[in-house]
Amino acid sequence: MAFEGLSEKLQSAFKDLKGQGIVTEKDFDNAMRAVKMALLEADVNFKVVKDFVATIKDKALGAGVLKSLTPDQMVVKIVKDELVEMMGGAGSKLTYSPSGFTVIMLVGLQGTGKTTTAGKLASYLKQTGKHPMLAACDIYRPAAIDQLEIVGKAVNTPVYVDRDSRDVVKIAQDAVREAQRKGCNVLIVDTAGRLQIDEQLMDELKRLKKEVKPHEILLVVDALTGQDAVNIANGFNDALGVDGIIMTKMDGDSRGGAALSVKAVTGKPIKFMGTGEKYNALEPFHPDRIASRILGMGDIMSLIEQAENAFDEEETRQLEEKIRRNKFDLDDFLNQMRQINKLGGLGKIVDMIPGISAADKKSIDLEKGRTELRKMEAIILSMTPEERRRPNILNASRRKRIAAGSGQTVQSVNQLIKKYEEMKKMTKIMANPNSKKARGMLRNLGL
């Protein structure tokens, strides 16, 4: 999970401060030393770390925080505020053209996931009501055009292709005209990358910038490369001038040094982060929400937004009606499991829930949870429609047949029925916001 290592170390750094009525300067210095080491081990830029710790110390001591009634909470608040500032303050949004037609140019080195990110960005824009088109302007990498066409088909977005031309600027200009003719209002230009920054690459990108005049130039960088990502961002910004950054593979980066350093070093904000392989796994980058996740405060706003996108409104309304009428069946149970998967799986949900420490998150067997979901799906799909609607008819012989059909044991079928019954009870209890039973039932479900 993103920032997992850093989150665990920072929360540990403040552990000794919590609950103390009085925090001495020595206690504070020890905590700051641990914070500094945590950030450096997370591969955050050294100068950024040095300035960060100095600022926290100045603010804490200058404001008399250590003498306040809740010094531990005040210190954590200052750290959170500075983390937010380090990552750019308020979230930076895309800039759209006042004319109604916007060109976004994606740039970056090979291997950062630029073409896949173009599809993810198109998918995101469609969710916000835009009508994007993709333009294949990487004429060098073998099969780059084919890959973009596959991506476009996957996200149901048109792709402009010219396999005969070797003039990238002309291809992009023709793509602009074709997008406008088709009524699209955003053109995403997928450009060529290199294994390293070179003069030829930059000259081509500069010509594209001059002739096509993109409203946004977004640099795609790989979070897993750590400070190399920051150096690459600096290089592109110095040579070309970028408007923002898309940080890919954030779900695989437990350190987070690149995300924490890049704004402070380059002055350019992270606008999006890639959090998985699926085309809906691109999130706007909100520094305040990321800081909350790192410090174990959760990220309820992002969880709600993703739930709104993932959950079908009509399905949700029908489910509520079924719950009220006590008609919650195994089809509904399976749909709920699939909705969890749409949200990015159990790991992503756990990451956003407040009050779960980094250590507790590590103790949750997420792989086991994913395996259980797949087993549940196999078992339920081996049932007849009647059995899914009326689980009470599942006698011993039926359960034996279902086990054989799904490749599972009768015990696994029995466990699924038990979990279904627990969730059925829980859905009724969750209707009462004052109930205390729901949390225990979630634990029993293994979710």
Side-chain angles (χ1 to χ4, degrees), residues 13-25:
F14 298 121
K15 192 174 181 181
D16 291 338
L17 297 183
K18 287 183 179 179
Q20 290 193 32
I22 298 174
V23 174
T24 66
E25 194 165 337

Side-chain angles (χ1 to χ4, degrees), residues 225-270:
T225 59
Q227 285 308 296
D228 282 344
V230 179
N231 297 333
I232 290 163
N234 243 348
F236 269 91
N237 189 49
D238 290 344
L240 183 67
V242 300
D243 299 296
I245 292 163
I246 298 178
M247 190 78 68
T248 65
K249 305 176 188 176
M250 285 286 288
D251 55 314
D253 180 23
S254 65
R255 298 182 303 170
L260 291 173
S261 304
V262 71
K263 174 62 168 66
V265 175
T266 67
K268 301 299 177 180
I270 299 174

Side-chain angles (χ1 to χ4, degrees), residues 73 77 89 113 127 140 166 220 266 308 334 359 371 397 429 445:
Q73 294 175 26
K77 182 183 184 305
Q127 289 178 17
Y140 307 107
R166 305 302 292 174
V220 181
T266 67
E308 285 175 345
L334 179 58
T371 302
S397 62
I429 291 170
L445 282 167

Side-chain angles (χ1 to χ4, degrees), residues 208-332:
L208 275 169
K209 179 180 179 180
K210 180 182 177 183
E211 300 299 332
V212 182
K213 297 178 175 57
H215 304 92
E216 286 269 359
I217 298 178
L218 300 179
L219 172 66
V220 181
V221 295
D222 182 344
L224 295 175
T225 59
Q227 285 308 296
D228 282 344
V230 179
N231 297 333
I232 290 163
N234 243 348
F236 269 91
N237 189 49
D238 290 344
L240 183 67
V242 300
D243 299 296
I245 292 163
I246 298 178
M247 190 78 68
T248 65
K249 305 176 188 176
M250 285 286 288
D251 55 314
D253 180 23
S254 65
R255 298 182 303 170
L260 291 173
S261 304
V262 71
K263 174 62 168 66
V265 175
T266 67
K268 301 299 177 180
I270 299 174
K271 295 202 173 186
F272 293 94
M273 60 180 184
T275 57
E277 296 179 2
K278 295 181 180 179
Y279 288 109
N280 63 352
L282 187 74
E283 299 177 22
F285 189 85
H286 298 287
D288 56 335
R289 301 183 190 181
I290 295 296
S292 290
R293 287 191 210 181
I294 291 172
L295 295 173
M297 300 173 185
D299 184 4
I300 288 298
M301 283 304 299
S302 291
L303 187 58
I304 290 170
E305 288 172 4
Q306 288 178 32
E308 285 175 345
N309 289 330
F311 289 15
D312 182 89
E313 189 173 334
E314 179 60 23
E315 280 186 11
T316 302
R317 188 194 64 75
Q318 290 176 2
L319 178 62
E320 289 173 352
E321 180 64 24
K322 281 191 166 190
I323 291 169
R324 280 195 293 271
R325 293 165 52 205
N326 198 26
K327 298 289 185 181
F328 183 83
D329 60 24
L330 281 165
D331 280 322
D332 301 316

